[in-house]
């Protein structure tokens, strides 16, 4: 359908120009043993392999129904919540696998630095469909920062 393809190309270009304006990094989780940083006295995990670094966006969910609480195994009450976010990347970007780690490494506006320093895990692979204009990957914010 030539008309639909042309319309989708226009939407894809608009999304790239107006939404995918920050820089995101998608990495595999670190697999090596932690190494002692003698300067800080802290154990540090090695970096995971970078799968993608480029244009993207991380958006929080506005729907309260998408925030759910999960009890820890040894507590009789709910302690932590699952924070639903979504990663938007261009269609040519690789599909992030489940458990990949996402960080925002640069923002387009210095006033919007709230996402810097946080990390998320991909709860499922990037979604796919027969008609797409942007890749959407569901995320959950990591509680303790990057692994």
């Amino acid at each position: 359908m030539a008309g639909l393809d042309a319309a989708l190309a226009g939407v894809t270009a608009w999304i790239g120009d107006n939404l995918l304006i920050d820089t995101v990094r998608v990495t595999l989780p670190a697999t090596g043993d932690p190494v002692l940083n003698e300067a800080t006295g802290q154990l540090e995990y090695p970096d995971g392999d970078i799968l993608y670094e480029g244009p993207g966006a991380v958006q929080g969910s506005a729907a309260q129904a998408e925030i759910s609480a999960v009890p820890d195994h040894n507590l009789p009450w709910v302690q932590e919540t699952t924070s639903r976010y979504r990663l938007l990347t261009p269609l040519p970007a690789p599909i992030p696998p489940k458990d990949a780690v996402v960080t925002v490494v640069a923002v387009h506006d210095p006033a919007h630095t709230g996402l810097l320093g946080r990390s998320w895990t991909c709860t499922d692979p990037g979604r796919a469909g027969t008609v797409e204009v942007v890749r959407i990957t569901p995320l959950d914010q990591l509680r303790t920062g990057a692994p």
Side-chain angles (χ1 to χ4, degrees):
M1 299 176 97
L4 179 60
D5 291 341
L8 292 179
V11 171
T12 301
W14 186 90
I15 288 173
D17 292 342
N18 293 284
L19 293 179
L20 307 180
I21 53 178
D22 295 324
T23 304
V24 298
R25 180 181 298 145
V26 179
T27 59
L28 291 175
T31 57
D33 292 330
V35 177
L36 178 64
N37 179 332
E38 294 184 14
T40 65
Q42 300 292 318
L43 290 175
E44 296 178 354
Y45 286 89
D47 294 331
D49 293 333
I50 296 175
L51 299 175
Y52 173 75
E53 184 168 330
V58 172
Q59 297 179 329
S61 173
Q64 285 292 353
E66 292 191 36
I67 299 174
S68 60
V70 292
D72 281 2
H73 68 284
N74 61 350
L75 296 177
W77 62 86
V78 172
Q79 178 178 352
E80 296 291 340
T81 60
T82 300
S83 303
R84 300 290 185 210
Y85 287 79
R86 63 186 155 255
L87 169 67
L88 305 178
T89 52
L91 293 176
I95 296 173
K98 184 179 184 320
D99 298 327
V101 177
V102 174
T103 55
V104 177
V105 296
V107 292
H108 71 284
D109 183 344
H112 298 156
T113 59
L115 295 179
L116 297 175
R118 295 187 195 183
S119 57
W120 296 264
T121 185
C122 297
T123 58
D124 283 310
R127 296 178 182 158
T130 57
V131 178
E132 295 180 298
V133 293
V134 66
R135 181 158 334 282
I136 301 171
T137 305
L139 303 175
D140 182 20
Q141 186 169 326
L142 293 171
R143 296 183 199 178
T144 58

